[in-house]
Amino acid sequence: MGRKRGRDIDGWLILDKPLGPTSTDMVNKLRWAFDAKKAGHGGTLDPLASGVLPIAFGKATRTIPYIMDATKRYRFTLTFGESRTTDDLEGEVLATSPNRPTDEQILAVLPALTGNVMQVPPVFSALRVGGERAYDMARAGRPPELPPRPARIDSITLVDRPDADTAVFDVQSGKGVYMRSLARDIALACGTVGHISVLRRTKCGPFDLSHALTIDQISLDKSTQTVDNADALPAPLLDAATALVDIPALAVTDAEGRMLVWGQSIDPADLMHPLPASSQGDDHLWRAMIGEHVLGLCHVRHGRLRAARMLENHEFFGEHDVDYRRTPHGTDF
């Protein structure tokens, strides 16, 4: 007997991830709870980090790359005086310093760490070095030399100073920025050492804590299922297209939508609702919509509008839909 594959479920669950488990642990737990065929997450949180962890089911997994690239917000506590192997509380102490910066000293170093910067990732990270994970090498006593990587840090705000040993920051950043590295670098710039002692993600793309459910708010006990509620979800899901709300909308006709879904391209000049001339470059993504329904994403490539990633397929238009792959109107020239 083959392994049960699960059921087709589409949508986003925004989890307020607790401290302790990994992001993958939570995906596996919720995939089992929802009996979902396909699931993934929109951006890793460390075991010692909590907060917004978007979990995608079914069609929503197609939009994960756009959540991974999206702007994120964090709040973290930096503890001065100890550097650690992991740059957080989990690691062993590497060095100590008696220096404790003043608020004025902290504020003075933040501008140089903001904007497009080069950042050295933590040695204990999931980056691959010669086919091995950096954290596996570090745990084996072979910590790799990780080169600086480009990072975009939009803002760093000092929001609280509970005592001389700690400082609390709000940060808005782009993809792939390590808060542990940022905390380490703030301390070093202030002439001391430090590590993150508390880390919480408060926003990830369009999702924030107002959308998030704790694990206790999700029904994980399958023993309570009955014949009447066997198909009920353990928690409500957000629509798969919710991840794309920050991308400009493009209204398309049924015929235009069919062509995009079938993988055919369209001359932008032939669209019922033309694209602005200033927004026809290759870098612009559009959310193709029929009425209030999102078909997926499209963009202009080589002068023609093409599908970038579709949420819908030909079944959306009905089983008697015209095959646009075989019609002259749908042919690329």
Side-chain angles (χ1 to χ4, degrees), residues 92-127:
E92 299 176 359
V93 176
L94 279 176
T96 61
S97 170
N99 295 336
R100 300 294 184 268
T102 64
D103 290 8
E104 290 72 25
Q105 288 173 317
I106 293 172
L107 293 172
V109 306
L110 297 184
L113 296 170
T114 306
N116 294 315
V117 300
M118 298 298 290
Q119 185 183 74
V120 177
V123 172
F124 281 80
S125 65
L127 294 175

Side-chain angles (χ1 to χ4, degrees), residues 90-286:
E90 191 176 28
E92 299 176 359
V93 176
L94 279 176
T96 61
S97 170
N99 295 336
R100 300 294 184 268
T102 64
D103 290 8
E104 290 72 25
Q105 288 173 317
I106 293 172
L107 293 172
V109 306
L110 297 184
L113 296 170
T114 306
N116 294 315
V117 300
M118 298 298 290
Q119 185 183 74
V120 177
V123 172
F124 281 80
S125 65
L127 294 175
R128 289 192 177 274
V129 180
E132 293 185 77
R133 296 288 189 187
Y135 54 66
D136 288 333
M137 298 174 69
R139 287 169 184 154
R142 299 179 288 110
E145 290 285 338
L146 297 176
R149 293 154 45 104
R152 192 195 86 226
I153 301 174
D154 300 324
S155 64
I156 311 170
T157 305
L158 176 63
V159 295
D160 194 15
R161 197 73 198 277
D163 50 52
D165 291 332
T166 57
V168 181
F169 298 89
D170 273 346
V171 177
Q172 179 171 299
S173 69
K175 176 185 177 183
V177 177
Y178 290 92
M179 293 300 113
R180 287 178 290 152
S181 294
L182 178 57
R184 175 201 64 206
D185 293 344
I186 291 173
L188 290 173
C190 290
T192 185
V193 292
H195 62 275
I196 274 188
S197 51
V198 179
L199 174 60
R200 185 161 173 78
R201 185 157 64 195
T202 58
K203 193 173 190 295
C204 185
F207 306 124
D208 59 31
L209 288 169
S210 70
H211 302 105
L213 300 176
T214 66
I215 198 69
D216 291 336
Q217 292 174 307
I218 301 168
S219 177
L220 302 179
D221 186 1
K222 291 190 175 183
S223 67
T224 62
Q225 288 183 341
T226 66
V227 173
D228 293 333
N229 69 4
D231 292 331
L233 297 178
L237 299 181
L238 299 176
D239 189 270
T242 310
L244 310 178
V245 296
D246 293 336
I247 297 173
L250 172 66
V252 297
T253 65
D254 281 6
E256 293 164 351
R258 290 187 180 99
M259 291 179 67
L260 291 170
V261 164
W262 277 117
Q264 301 304 299
S265 66
I266 305 171
D267 186 333
D270 294 337
L271 290 169
M272 179 68 71
H273 302 281
L275 298 174
S278 61
S279 302
Q280 294 188 27
D282 287 355
D283 292 335
H284 287 274
L285 277 175
W286 296 91

Side-chain angles (χ1 to χ4, degrees), residues 34 49 51 55 74 81 83 101 109-110 118 126 160 212 261 265 293-294 301 321 327:
F34 280 76
I55 296 180
Y74 298 87
S83 65
V109 306
L110 297 184
M118 298 298 290
D160 194 15
V261 164
S265 66
H293 192 87
V294 179
R301 288 291 185 270
D321 185 27
T327 60

Side-chain angles (χ1 to χ4, degrees), residues 33-92:
F34 280 76
D35 188 26
K37 184 181 296 184
K38 190 173 185 180
H41 66 74
T44 301
L45 282 176
D46 294 331
L48 294 185
S50 67
V52 175
L53 179 65
I55 296 180
F57 296 100
K59 290 178 184 177
T61 60
R62 302 176 194 172
T63 66
I64 284 177
Y66 305 100
I67 293 298
M68 299 284 281
D69 289 346
T71 297
K72 301 171 179 66
R73 292 191 69 92
Y74 298 87
R75 175 166 289 201
F76 67 77
T77 299
L78 166 55
T79 295
F80 297 107
E82 289 183 348
S83 65
R84 299 197 174 214
T85 52
T86 57
D87 294 312
D88 64 14
L89 273 175
E90 191 176 28
E92 299 176 359

